[in-house]
Amino acid sequence: MPGPVSYTYEYPRPALTVDCVVFGLDDEDLKVLLIRRGVEPFAGRWALPGGFVRMEESLDDAARRELDEEAGIRPNHLEQLYTFGAPGRDPRGRVVTVAYFALVKLSDHVPHAATDARDAAWFSVWDTPKLAFDHVDVLGTALQRLKGKVRYQPIGFELLPPKFTLTQLQRLYEVILERELDKRNFRKKILAMDLLEELDEVEQDVSHRAARLYRFDHKKYKQLEKAGFNFEL
């Protein structure tokens, strides 16, 4: 029996990395998770979490591993964004990166740096420090994807606590889309979709009149989606 075929290539091969844009939301601002690099190149510079893909793992697995290892983040929503492969984007050589973007509830994810990250922290997407590599372009692409997708898929609920007010929901869209929305029209449209479960609960420990709490019905949305329902705001 002949042995296994060994393939060799005479031309140089690019390396492969993953980089992750993780968004979170507080009351007034959209945040992005950054890590401070502890190794060269760009040691001490802030960057998106990421790293080289191992031979035995898928791209999705590599992205989740890097987020867990570098910042202790394990997002529920993670999706592939875009491939960045311009020559010279990485001073270590020819490196192609597959970018991902993730959405997390900010209160559930306190980042802590590990492996080759010196620090990890949340920054406003509108006020980030100078980023390593081409990560400013990666972040910009992810932000545009979020702005577009949040209007035709209910991914924004991944940024909210499980129970929220209509004001919090409207504010989420205003922060991401960078514009004010008419309160009456917004509430009429979102409630007409019949995807929010009104709870017999109100806000606690607030200085103003306590507002009713709601919960997004994921199961109902999946059923409607299969029937051809289009989420659009």
Side-chain angles (χ1 to χ4, degrees):
M1 293 286 294
V5 178
S6 177
Y7 294 98
T8 59
Y9 299 91
E10 296 181 358
Y11 56 84
R13 285 165 285 175
L16 181 64
T17 62
V18 289
D19 287 306
C20 303
V21 183
V22 183
F23 291 117
L25 185 81
D26 65 15
D27 291 338
E28 298 295 330
D29 204 3
L30 182 64
K31 304 287 189 177
V32 62
L33 176 68
L34 300 178
I35 59 102
R36 189 189 293 272
R37 290 180 57 80
V39 296
E40 295 292 352
F42 303 111
R45 182 86 64 86
W46 289 96
L48 298 170
F52 287 95
V53 179
R54 295 172 180 171
M55 294 296 291
E56 73 281 1
E57 65 185 353
S58 69
L59 294 174
D60 287 7
D61 288 344
R64 291 189 181 279
R65 174 181 56 77
E66 286 291 343
L67 281 175
D68 188 22
E69 287 182 354
E70 290 196 332
I73 299 293
R74 299 180 181 180
N76 290 324
H77 183 92
L78 179 73
E79 65 176 82
Q80 201 170 114
L81 172 66
Y82 194 74
T83 301
F84 295 82
R89 61 170 301 277
D90 191 317
R92 292 169 293 191
R94 187 74 172 93
V95 180
V96 175
T97 194
V98 178
Y100 282 77
F101 91 91
L103 305 175
V104 300
K105 294 173 177 58
L106 205 62
S107 59
D108 294 342
H109 294 272
V110 178
H112 56 84
T115 62
D116 58 354
R118 187 184 304 173
D119 195 6
W122 292 101
F123 289 83
S124 168
V125 296
W126 322 117
D127 188 23
T128 60
K130 186 176 182 180
L131 301 181
F133 305 102
D134 57 353
H135 288 183
V136 66
D137 297 327
V138 179
L139 174 57
T141 301
L143 185 57
Q144 290 306 309
R145 170 75 65 86
L146 178 62
K147 284 175 176 286
K149 199 165 186 177
V150 76
R151 303 199 60 173
Y152 65 85
Q153 284 190 11
I155 61 173
F157 292 99
E158 296 290 342
L159 297 167
L160 290 174
K163 301 174 184 180
F164 51 85
T165 67
L166 293 180
T167 297
Q168 287 176 306
L169 180 60
Q170 179 175 338
R171 185 58 185 152
L172 177 149
Y173 281 90
E174 290 178 336
V175 168
I176 293 175
L177 299 176
E178 296 185 270
R179 63 184 178 88
E180 291 186 5
L181 301 174
D182 181 79
K183 179 179 178 180
R184 182 178 178 183
N185 288 339
F186 177 83
R187 295 191 174 194
K188 181 179 179 181
K189 196 165 188 177
I190 194 68
L191 291 175
M193 293 182 186
D194 198 26
L195 291 173
L196 300 185
E197 178 186 356
E198 184 176 352
L199 304 175
D200 189 23
E201 300 177 50
V202 297
E203 291 178 292
Q204 299 295 318
D205 302 321
V206 292
S207 58
H208 53 79
R209 181 181 177 183
R212 179 72 58 184
L213 292 174
Y214 291 79
R215 180 164 50 208
F216 179 67
D217 193 333
H218 289 273
K219 184 177 180 180
K220 188 172 186 177
Y221 171 70
K222 289 299 182 183
Q223 293 172 342
L224 290 172
E225 187 181 33
K226 289 180 180 178
F229 171 79
N230 290 318
F231 181 93
E232 185 176 353
L233 278 175

